[in-house]
């Protein structure tokens, strides 16, 4: 895809304040992430039980919702996924969470077209500087963990249930001619660490 074609398809990020938000839920692509301080899990009063909203907080201390109001699990999933992609922290007073790895540590120079099969979810982030989509290993781990978080299994069995997803990703990596073999083990270690961390957070 040419740079000109991609520019036509991708909106230009411009939203740097909640005051400028065009709607209740803002799309990820229009947010100027350089103006974002952190993401925020906001607790709200529901009719019978508390509900939660995933939000982004800007440098001027204004905020906007980035997803629908719903369960704590859904709000935290949205916030932590975006945090992994955009190298931001999450303010979640329901259960504070440390950042697993930085964006520089998590992101590798692989594009979707270089793989012969689709990876789980959407673990790709667009790099404005290089005009390329790059693979975020932390986000990939979260996507794999999401495949087993809905079950009622205990945490140790959920961790064991990650094996098929991890094996599938490793197989895709090994078939890719542009990935040097000695990169695969450390990359998979990061994917596995992110997946286990996410399972622990959601338990």
């Amino acid at each position: 895809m040419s740079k000109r074609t991609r520019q036509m398809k991708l909106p230009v990020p411009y939203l740097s304040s909640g005051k400028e938000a065009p709607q209740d839920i803002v799309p990820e692509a229009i947010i100027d992430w350089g103006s974002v301080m952190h993401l925020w899990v906001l607790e709200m009063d529901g009719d019978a039980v508390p509900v939660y909203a995933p939000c982004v907080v800007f440098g001027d201390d204004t905020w906007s919702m980035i997803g629908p109001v719903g369960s704590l699990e859904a709000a935290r999933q949205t916030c932590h996924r975006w945090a992994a992609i955009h190298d931001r922290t999450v303010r979640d007073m329901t259960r504070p969470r440390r950042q697993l790895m930085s964006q520089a540590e998590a992101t590798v120079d692989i594009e979707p077209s270089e793989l012969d099969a689709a990876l789980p979810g959407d673990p790709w982030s667009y790099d404005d500087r290089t005009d390329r989509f790059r693979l975020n290993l932390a986000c990939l781990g979260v996507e794999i963990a999401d495949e087993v978080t809905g079950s009622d299994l205990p945490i140790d069995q959920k961790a064991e249930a990650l094996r098929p997803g991890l094996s599938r990703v490793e197989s895709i990596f090994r078939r890719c001619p542009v990935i040097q073999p000695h990169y695969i083990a450390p990359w998979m270690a990061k994917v596995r660490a992110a997946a286990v961390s996410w399972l622990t957070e959601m338990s």
Side-chain angles (χ1 to χ4, degrees), residues 72-86:
L72 174 60
E73 178 179 350
R76 296 185 78 237
Q77 180 176 338
T78 299
C79 284
H80 285 297
R81 180 179 181 278
W82 286 25
I85 292 174
H86 297 288

Side-chain angles (χ1 to χ4, degrees), residues 136-148:
N136 188 299
L137 299 175
C139 187
L140 178 58
V142 170
E143 298 284 8
I144 293 172
D146 278 341
E147 296 179 349
V148 301

Side-chain angles (χ1 to χ4, degrees), residues 106-121:
T107 307
V108 294
D109 285 316
I110 294 296
E111 294 186 276
S113 62
E114 293 173 327
L115 302 176
D116 66 357
L119 294 173

Side-chain angles (χ1 to χ4, degrees), residues 5 11 13 17 30 38 47 60 63 74 95 112 114 139 143 148 156 164 170 172 177 183 197:
T5 302
S17 171
I30 70 169
H38 56 263
D47 293 336
D60 62 357
W63 56 274
R95 192 190 311 157
E114 293 173 327
C139 187
E143 298 284 8
V148 301
D156 59 333
E170 182 173 354
I172 293 172
Y183 286 152
S197 177

Side-chain angles (χ1 to χ4, degrees), residues 117-180:
L119 294 173
D122 184 21
W124 305 97
S125 56
Y126 180 67
D127 189 335
D128 290 310
R129 295 170 300 176
T130 61
D131 189 34
R132 296 179 63 197
F133 285 95
R134 303 174 72 212
L135 176 61
N136 188 299
L137 299 175
C139 187
L140 178 58
V142 170
E143 298 284 8
I144 293 172
D146 278 341
E147 296 179 349
V148 301
T149 52
S151 67
D152 295 327
L153 296 173
I155 183 64
D156 59 333
Q157 293 183 32
K158 285 184 179 180
E160 183 65 23
L162 294 173
R163 285 182 178 273
L166 292 169
S167 296
R168 185 171 69 251
V169 168
E170 182 173 354
S171 177
I172 293 172
F173 284 173
R174 291 195 180 281
R175 294 196 304 269
C176 178
V178 302
I179 300 178
Q180 297 186 33

Side-chain angles (χ1 to χ4, degrees), residues 2-3 12 37 43 53 64-66 87 90 112 117-118 120 126-127 135 151 162-163 167 182 185-186 196:
S2 69
K3 183 174 181 179
V12 177
M37 292 197 307
E43 183 175 351
S64 295
M65 288 174 51
I66 56 174
D87 195 22
V90 177
Y126 180 67
D127 189 335
L135 176 61
S151 67
L162 294 173
R163 285 182 178 273
S167 296
H182 65 276
V196 172

